[in-house]
């Protein structure tokens, strides 16, 4: 296993199975964040993640954290909160504001550089990247964004500026994604927050098998049409 330097003249990636064990999943460095290269990466179960000032690093960890939409875990307290939720949830209404929120609302700093913001905004304009927005009246208080691969959605990041806002984004999106024919949400790497919501780990090999099968599946035509997914009770 060795770290591969990508060519600027080719968007090809090495096999994810060749990724390093330590750090877990590091596969390659270099290249660029062009739409073609990003889409090739996601089609192969690879994503970029690197610190400001560093070269672009490409990852495919093993195991992989995933969420089966129907297995989203909603606690009793969250169920009570959502029943009387003050939030309105929309889809693809404010992509740029969501990714900016994910970049800025982090005490530990962010890997979402200006380069990343611009690259994913291009993917959004091309219809491949999507956002979920959580509003309290007219204020954006949370959200998430990611990249679609057929019936699989590759979640990238989420943010919250109010109680349960990011949980609401994932809860509402998971239910709607399943209704539109979605089967699996990629959460990349497990943490305590996502584990509490029902996210589990599967071997990378199994994830890649799911990805290969699901990325060619078609969803309901209205799946990514900008619309309201949830409105508070009146």
């Amino acid at each position: 296993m060795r770290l591969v330097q990508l060519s600027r003249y080719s968007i090809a990636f090495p096999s994810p199975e060749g990724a390093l064990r330590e750090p877990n999943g590091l596969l390659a460095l270099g290249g660029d964040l062009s739409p073609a290269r990003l889409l090739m990466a996601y089609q192969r179960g690879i994503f970029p993640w690197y610190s400001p000032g560093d070269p672009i690093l490409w990852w495919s960890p093993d195991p992989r954290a995933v969420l089966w939409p129907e297995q989203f875990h909603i606690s009793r307290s969250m169920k009570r909160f959502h029943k009387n939720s003050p939030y309105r949830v929309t889809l693809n209404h404010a992509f740029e504001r969501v990714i900016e929120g994910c970049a800025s609302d982090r005490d530990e700093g962010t890997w979402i550089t200006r380069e990343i913001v611009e690259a994913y905004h291009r993917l959004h304009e091309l219809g491949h990247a999507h956002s979920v927005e959580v509003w309290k009246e007219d204020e954006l208080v949370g959200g998430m964004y990611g990249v679609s691969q057929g019936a699989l959605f590759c979640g990238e990041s989420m943010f919250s500026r109010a109680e349960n806002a990011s949980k609401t984004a994932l809860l509402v999106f998971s239910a709607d994604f399943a209704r539109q024919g979605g089967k699996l949400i990629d959460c990349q790497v497990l943490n305590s927050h996502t584990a509490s919501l029902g996210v589990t780990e599967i071997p990378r090999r199994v994830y890649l098998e799911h990805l290969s099968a699901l990325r060619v599946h078609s969803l309901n035509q209205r799946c990514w049409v900008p619309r309201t997914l949830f409105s508070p009770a009146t």
Side-chain angles (χ1 to χ4, degrees):
M1 296 182 183
R2 63 184 181 84
L3 192 58
V4 175
Q5 171 74 55
L6 298 182
S7 167
R8 69 173 63 183
Y9 304 108
S10 170
I11 61 171
F13 282 91
S15 168
E17 298 296 347
L20 300 178
R21 292 194 179 93
E22 185 58 43
N24 179 18
L26 181 57
L27 177 67
L29 77 161
D32 56 31
L33 297 176
S34 66
R37 192 186 297 272
L38 280 171
L39 291 175
M40 177 63 73
Y42 281 98
Q43 289 168 12
R44 294 178 64 86
I46 300 163
F47 58 88
W49 181 46
Y50 60 101
S51 299
D54 288 347
I56 301 171
L57 300 178
W58 302 89
W59 303 76
S60 185
D62 185 18
R64 191 75 165 227
V66 299
L67 174 65
W68 305 97
E70 67 276 9
Q71 294 181 11
F72 183 95
H73 177 259
I74 180 168
S75 64
R76 281 179 290 183
S77 61
M78 182 62 190
K79 190 175 293 186
R80 288 193 299 270
F81 179 89
H82 190 59
K83 184 178 180 180
N84 299 291
S85 177
Y87 302 142
R88 175 172 53 93
V89 182
T90 59
L91 176 77
N92 283 333
H93 277 215
F95 182 89
E96 190 166 5
R97 290 182 64 185
V98 167
I99 194 170
E100 293 281 4
C102 292
S104 62
D105 287 45
R106 295 183 181 277
D107 294 335
E108 71 278 14
T110 183
W111 59 273
I112 304 175
T113 63
R114 176 51 48 186
E115 186 181 29
I116 288 282
V117 170
E118 293 174 354
Y120 282 82
H121 192 261
R122 288 195 295 271
L123 279 190
H124 174 66
E125 291 178 330
L126 292 169
H128 301 293
H130 307 283
S131 60
V132 177
E133 303 87 19
V134 180
W135 308 87
K136 188 172 184 180
E137 297 180 347
D138 294 327
E139 180 186 2
L140 183 67
V141 296
M144 56 179 278
Y145 77 96
V147 177
S148 56
Q149 287 289 297
L152 188 150
F153 183 75
C154 303
E156 277 295 315
S157 187
M158 59 175 59
F159 78 101
S160 181
R161 296 172 182 161
E163 182 182 10
N164 291 327
S166 60
K167 288 183 181 179
T168 296
L170 186 55
L171 168 63
V172 172
F173 172 74
S174 296
D176 185 78
F177 188 54
R179 286 193 296 269
Q180 306 304 327
K183 303 297 183 183
L184 187 62
I185 299 173
D186 170 29
C187 300
Q188 298 178 348
V189 178
L190 191 68
N191 58 46
S192 58
H193 175 65
T194 55
S196 71
L197 302 177
V199 176
T200 58
E201 291 183 321
I202 59 175
R204 177 175 56 212
R205 171 184 53 80
V206 176
Y207 171 77
L208 293 175
E209 290 172 357
H210 286 305
L211 172 62
S212 178
L214 294 177
R215 72 182 185 84
V216 297
H217 279 212
S218 297
L219 299 177
N220 188 309
Q221 283 188 333
R222 71 191 295 268
C223 181
W224 302 118
V225 173
R227 53 198 167 88
T228 297
L229 302 183
F230 175 83
S231 294
T234 57

